[in-house]
Amino acid sequence: MRDTLEEFKKYREKMNEKILASGNQQIQRFFNLDTRAYEPGALPSKTKELLGLVTSLVLRCDDCVTYHVIRCVEEGVTSSEFYEALNVALVVGGSITIPHIRRAVERLEESVDLRRPS
Amino acid sequence: MRDTLEEFKKYREKMNEKILASGNQQIQRFFNLDTRAYEPGALPSKTKELLGLVTSLVLRCDDCVTYHVIRCVEEGVTSSEFYEALNVALVVGGSITIPHIRRAVERLEESVDLRRPS
Amino acid sequence: MRDTLEEFKKYREKMNEKILASGNQQIQRFFNLDTRAYEPGALPSKTKELLGLVTSLVLRCDDCVTYHVIRCVEEGVTSSEFYEALNVALVVGGSITIPHIRRAVERLEESVDLRRPS
Amino acid sequence: MRDTLEEFKKYREKMNEKILASGNQQIQRFFNLDTRAYEPGALPSKTKELLGLVTSLVLRCDDCVTYHVIRCVEEGVTSSEFYEALNVALVVGGSITIPHIRRAVERLEESVDLRRPS
Amino acid sequence: MRDTLEEFKKYREKMNEKILASGNQQIQRFFNLDTRAYEPGALPSKTKELLGLVTSLVLRCDDCVTYHVIRCVEEGVTSSEFYEALNVALVVGGSITIPHIRRAVERLEESVDLRRPS
Amino acid sequence: MRDTLEEFKKYREKMNEKILASGNQQIQRFFNLDTRAYEPGALPSKTKELLGLVTSLVLRCDDCVTYHVIRCVEEGVTSSEFYEALNVALVVGGSITIPHIRRAVERLEESVDLRRPS
């Protein structure tokens, strides 16, 4: 009953394009800062994506979680690392993060499946 | 996969009626205060609806955003004004508001379409 | 367009099993603490479930609300008691809780229906 | 370095008077609804004050917590009941509630001291 | 026992300088976007400052509220307009905003006093 | 006008002892899980402390931020790494995190000073 990962990506891309086409330059700049925050610097991208994942979890934003789960898988986060990060989010944010953790785990499985050679 | 604007309105109305029929007088009074907060006073309704829109966005309540988008369109908020309000919400509330901004923009398009002569 | 109560329960159970099977012992312990927080002690379970309901409402977690509505019905919370608890959540958390209150009332009806002899 | 309970009460009263004297009738009505939400009804005041306490804790509002701690003591909430309510807030809201729980416990001690015959 | 408006401004300025001197270019750009979000455009600065005020109130950030109260006074927001905006924040965000509304009203008085010819 | 780092630590320790002495076993277990969440595992403590720092920042808990700043310094987080983590929190959580980022930077300076040989 939820969007597949593919539908999520398509909707996200379509709406981002509309927002960026609106002509509001400051929103464009914010989107640019958002992308750049996860680029490698003193901290590697993998660590930054984990920061993105846990902040999204404690703020309970499913779409943000989905995005960072995909990126964590791309950055080679292992299953144990992933669950340890989930545990930090769970302890910090409490049981209200659990429904989001359930969906994060579902998205993790979908993301891993997509990368598996068929 | 989401409710249409029409379905949103129907569900909202049906459930509000049930809640108001429950006999809890204080909830009825709160609903009344909620309606009156956006009536014109020292500030015009248009400004108040923009206040309703940005507070709903930073608190990330999609149904509240949908409601205020509809009302902003009725109050004649222009596209540039709408995006400038979105930008304030984005800067104040950060990237976790982006999924809600995407849905706000989708709702804006639906609301504008509904008011277009066919 | 939303999950039925049955689908909610199945998904919740399936994903909880996956999370608990992950081998992360600390998450298992948190889940255990979560369950035990609502067991009778100095305060009865009914009061604790009401605490769980209102905290879930002001934090606006629909799945958590659904869970505690089911449990409140099992603990014999009456309709008047339920609405008074909703009113506390509404006053404390404001109008942004209203969409969640609408869904809580819908879940209440579903839960009561399930317990009715057919 | 923090306000004493007496200073808290004085500041609260002084500012509430200013707000109510501003002539904004809707704010006056909200304050009235706020008071009435904790009056005995289907649920007793003691339970409602516990609801007020835990919602204030998970939303992390120290002044609201202070107010409900005072009221819980007045309603005869015992130490074990108080800590069980804190535990629900802690599990639901996570470790970020801990600094507020520390201050709640401090306020509890102050409130109990104030009621002790000298 | 709280910082005066003058102390608030000094601390804010001193720390902002340190942050901007850290050499993290993306933080500098964010600060720049933050300033620009309230500049006049399709919406006048007065409206944008009111948007900043109410979003800060519902997110319960006292320092942000203080900043926007100062700016609202500079933009000529009248007392009635100010209280109507507070009322929207109160209804949207609920009673947990009240301690912040108390401090907003105190800051309003301080800001108005500072602008009065002596 | 704020607590020094030394006062913060003393108050934290004193109140934690009171809470743990209350006899509520579940709270004790939660505190234990809280400590263990940052111990080295698949992810090193340094990464976990950074996760603790950014989640505390986006949830805007000054005491939690102070604690994790101290721990990040102990784990050898460099200034550039620290500011990159702040930037992720700023982008994710928006401008309302700025007052907390100011205080985080102040705490960082205090923590570094404490570790400097005199």
Side-chain angles (χ1 to χ4, degrees):
Chain A
M1 214 171 268
R2 300 178 60 207
D3 287 354
T4 64
L5 220 48
E6 222 39 68
E7 287 166 328
F8 163 79
K9 286 179 185 175
K10 258 192 210 153
Y11 178 76
R12 183 176 175 276
E13 206 167 312
K14 184 185 74 176
M15 295 313 297
N16 281 4
E17 270 170 33
K18 285 199 185 182
I19 292 168
L20 295 174
S22 75
N24 188 304
Q25 210 178 36
Q26 295 178 43
I27 296 182
Q28 291 168 2
R29 284 184 187 156
F30 191 103
F31 273 57
N32 186 255
L33 280 182
D34 183 26
T35 305
R36 300 204 42 200
Y38 304 97
E39 291 176 356
L43 294 170
S45 278
K46 181 180 150 183
T47 303
K48 289 182 171 180
E49 287 299 338
L50 286 169
L51 300 181
L53 177 67
V54 292
T55 48
S56 299
L57 272 166
V58 298
L59 292 173
R60 300 186 294 120
C61 173
D62 282 330
D63 282 5
C64 314
V65 169
T66 295
Y67 177 79
H68 290 294
V69 166
I70 297 171
R71 288 287 300 118
C72 281
V73 170
E74 290 173 355
E75 292 293 332
V77 171
T78 68
S79 177
S80 307
E81 290 172 332
F82 186 76
Y83 275 100
E84 289 190 9
L86 291 189
N87 183 53
V88 171
L90 176 60
V91 167
V92 171
S95 68
I96 44 145
T97 64
I98 292 178
H100 306 274
I101 283 177
R102 282 196 279 265
R103 292 191 278 270
V105 168
E106 192 185 11
R107 289 309 197 190
L108 177 69
E109 294 187 339
E110 286 176 81
S111 302
V112 171
D113 282 355
L114 281 183
R115 295 174 65 85
R116 213 165 266 161
S118 56
Chain B
M1 212 171 270
R2 302 177 58 208
D3 287 353
T4 64
L5 220 47
E6 222 39 68
E7 287 166 328
F8 163 78
K9 286 179 185 175
K10 258 191 208 152
Y11 178 76
R12 184 177 175 275
E13 208 167 311
K14 184 184 75 175
M15 295 314 296
N16 281 5
E17 269 169 34
K18 285 198 185 184
I19 293 168
L20 295 174
S22 74
N24 188 303
Q25 210 178 37
Q26 295 177 43
I27 295 182
Q28 291 167 4
R29 283 184 188 155
F30 190 105
F31 273 58
N32 186 256
L33 280 182
D34 183 27
T35 305
R36 299 204 43 200
Y38 303 97
E39 291 176 356
L43 293 170
S45 278
K46 181 180 149 184
T47 302
K48 288 181 170 180
E49 288 298 337
L50 286 169
L51 300 181
L53 176 67
V54 291
T55 48
S56 300
L57 273 166
V58 297
L59 292 172
R60 300 187 293 122
C61 173
D62 282 331
D63 281 6
C64 314
V65 168
T66 294
Y67 178 77
H68 289 295
V69 166
I70 297 172
R71 288 287 299 118
C72 281
V73 169
E74 289 172 356
E75 292 293 333
V77 171
T78 67
S79 177
S80 307
E81 290 172 332
F82 185 76
Y83 275 100
E84 289 190 8
L86 291 189
N87 182 53
V88 171
L90 176 61
V91 166
V92 170
S95 68
I96 45 145
T97 64
I98 292 177
H100 306 273
I101 283 177
R102 283 198 278 265
R103 291 190 278 270
V105 167
E106 191 185 13
R107 289 309 197 191
L108 177 69
E109 294 188 339
E110 287 176 81
S111 301
V112 170
D113 282 355
L114 281 182
R115 296 174 65 85
R116 212 165 266 163
S118 57
Chain C
M1 213 170 270
R2 301 177 58 208
D3 286 355
T4 64
L5 221 47
E6 222 40 67
E7 288 166 327
F8 163 79
K9 286 178 184 175
K10 258 191 211 153
Y11 177 76
R12 183 176 176 276
E13 209 167 311
K14 185 184 73 176
M15 295 314 296
N16 281 4
E17 271 170 34
K18 287 199 184 181
I19 292 168
L20 295 174
S22 74
N24 187 303
Q25 210 178 37
Q26 295 178 42
I27 295 181
Q28 291 167 6
R29 284 185 187 154
F30 191 104
F31 273 58
N32 187 256
L33 280 182
D34 183 27
T35 305
R36 299 203 44 198
Y38 304 96
E39 290 175 356
L43 293 171
S45 277
K46 182 180 150 183
T47 302
K48 288 181 172 181
E49 288 298 338
L50 286 169
L51 299 181
L53 177 67
V54 292
T55 49
S56 300
L57 272 167
V58 298
L59 292 173
R60 300 186 294 120
C61 172
D62 282 331
D63 282 5
C64 313
V65 168
T66 293
Y67 177 78
H68 289 294
V69 166
I70 296 171
R71 288 287 300 116
C72 281
V73 170
E74 289 172 358
E75 292 293 332
V77 171
T78 68
S79 177
S80 307
E81 290 171 333
F82 185 76
Y83 276 99
E84 289 189 10
L86 292 189
N87 183 52
V88 171
L90 176 60
V91 166
V92 170
S95 67
I96 45 145
T97 64
I98 293 178
H100 307 274
I101 283 177
R102 283 197 278 265
R103 291 191 278 270
V105 167
E106 192 184 11
R107 289 308 197 191
L108 177 68
E109 294 188 338
E110 287 175 79
S111 302
V112 171
D113 282 356
L114 281 182
R115 296 175 63 86
R116 212 165 265 162
S118 56
Chain D
M1 212 168 272
R2 299 178 59 207
D3 287 354
T4 65
L5 219 48
E6 224 38 68
E7 288 167 327
F8 164 78
K9 285 179 185 174
K10 258 190 210 152
Y11 177 76
R12 184 176 176 276
E13 209 167 309
K14 185 185 74 176
M15 295 314 297
N16 281 4
E17 271 171 34
K18 284 198 186 183
I19 292 168
L20 295 174
S22 74
N24 187 304
Q25 210 179 37
Q26 295 178 42
I27 295 182
Q28 291 168 4
R29 283 185 188 154
F30 191 103
F31 272 57
N32 187 256
L33 280 182
D34 183 26
T35 305
R36 299 203 46 198
Y38 304 96
E39 291 176 356
L43 293 170
S45 279
K46 182 180 149 182
T47 302
K48 289 181 171 180
E49 288 298 338
L50 286 169
L51 300 181
L53 177 67
V54 293
T55 48
S56 300
L57 273 166
V58 298
L59 292 173
R60 301 187 294 120
C61 172
D62 283 330
D63 282 6
C64 314
V65 168
T66 294
Y67 177 79
H68 288 294
V69 166
I70 297 171
R71 288 288 300 119
C72 280
V73 170
E74 289 173 357
E75 292 294 333
V77 171
T78 68
S79 177
S80 307
E81 291 171 332
F82 186 75
Y83 275 100
E84 289 189 8
L86 292 188
N87 182 53
V88 171
L90 176 60
V91 166
V92 171
S95 68
I96 45 144
T97 64
I98 292 178
H100 306 273
I101 283 177
R102 283 198 278 264
R103 291 190 279 270
V105 167
E106 192 185 12
R107 289 308 198 191
L108 177 68
E109 293 188 340
E110 288 176 79
S111 302
V112 170
D113 281 355
L114 281 184
R115 297 174 63 85
R116 212 164 267 163
S118 58
Chain E
M1 210 168 273
R2 301 177 58 206
D3 287 354
T4 64
L5 220 48
E6 222 39 68
E7 288 166 326
F8 163 79
K9 286 179 185 174
K10 258 189 210 154
Y11 178 76
R12 184 176 176 276
E13 209 167 309
K14 184 184 74 176
M15 296 313 297
N16 281 4
E17 270 170 33
K18 285 198 186 183
I19 293 167
L20 295 175
S22 73
N24 187 305
Q25 208 178 39
Q26 294 177 42
I27 296 183
Q28 291 167 3
R29 283 185 187 154
F30 190 104
F31 273 58
N32 186 255
L33 280 182
D34 183 25
T35 306
R36 300 204 43 199
Y38 303 97
E39 290 176 355
L43 293 170
S45 278
K46 183 180 148 182
T47 302
K48 288 181 171 180
E49 287 298 338
L50 286 169
L51 300 181
L53 177 66
V54 294
T55 48
S56 299
L57 273 166
V58 299
L59 291 173
R60 300 186 294 120
C61 173
D62 282 331
D63 282 6
C64 314
V65 168
T66 294
Y67 178 78
H68 289 295
V69 166
I70 296 171
R71 289 286 301 118
C72 280
V73 170
E74 289 172 357
E75 292 293 332
V77 171
T78 68
S79 178
S80 307
E81 290 171 333
F82 186 76
Y83 275 100
E84 290 189 8
L86 292 188
N87 182 54
V88 171
L90 177 60
V91 166
V92 171
S95 68
I96 44 144
T97 64
I98 293 178
H100 306 274
I101 283 177
R102 283 198 278 266
R103 291 190 278 269
V105 167
E106 192 186 10
R107 288 310 197 190
L108 176 69
E109 293 187 340
E110 287 176 80
S111 303
V112 171
D113 282 356
L114 281 182
R115 297 175 63 86
R116 212 164 266 162
S118 56
Chain F
M1 210 169 272
R2 301 177 59 206
D3 287 353
T4 64
L5 219 48
E6 222 38 68
E7 288 166 327
F8 163 78
K9 285 179 185 173
K10 259 191 209 152
Y11 178 76
R12 184 175 175 277
E13 208 167 310
K14 185 184 74 175
M15 295 313 297
N16 281 5
E17 271 170 33
K18 285 198 186 184
I19 292 167
L20 296 175
S22 74
N24 187 303
Q25 209 178 39
Q26 295 177 42
I27 295 182
Q28 291 167 4
R29 283 184 188 154
F30 191 103
F31 273 57
N32 187 255
L33 280 182
D34 183 25
T35 305
R36 299 203 45 199
Y38 304 97
E39 290 176 356
L43 293 170
S45 279
K46 182 180 149 182
T47 302
K48 288 181 172 181
E49 288 297 338
L50 286 170
L51 300 182
L53 177 67
V54 292
T55 48
S56 299
L57 272 166
V58 298
L59 292 173
R60 299 186 294 121
C61 173
D62 283 330
D63 282 6
C64 314
V65 168
T66 293
Y67 178 78
H68 289 294
V69 166
I70 296 171
R71 289 286 300 117
C72 281
V73 170
E74 290 172 357
E75 293 293 333
V77 171
T78 67
S79 177
S80 307
E81 290 171 333
F82 185 76
Y83 275 99
E84 289 189 9
L86 292 189
N87 182 53
V88 171
L90 176 60
V91 166
V92 171
S95 68
I96 45 145
T97 64
I98 292 178
H100 306 273
I101 283 177
R102 283 197 279 264
R103 292 191 277 271
V105 167
E106 192 185 11
R107 289 309 197 191
L108 177 68
E109 293 188 340
E110 288 176 81
S111 302
V112 170
D113 282 355
L114 282 182
R115 297 174 64 86
R116 213 164 266 163
S118 57

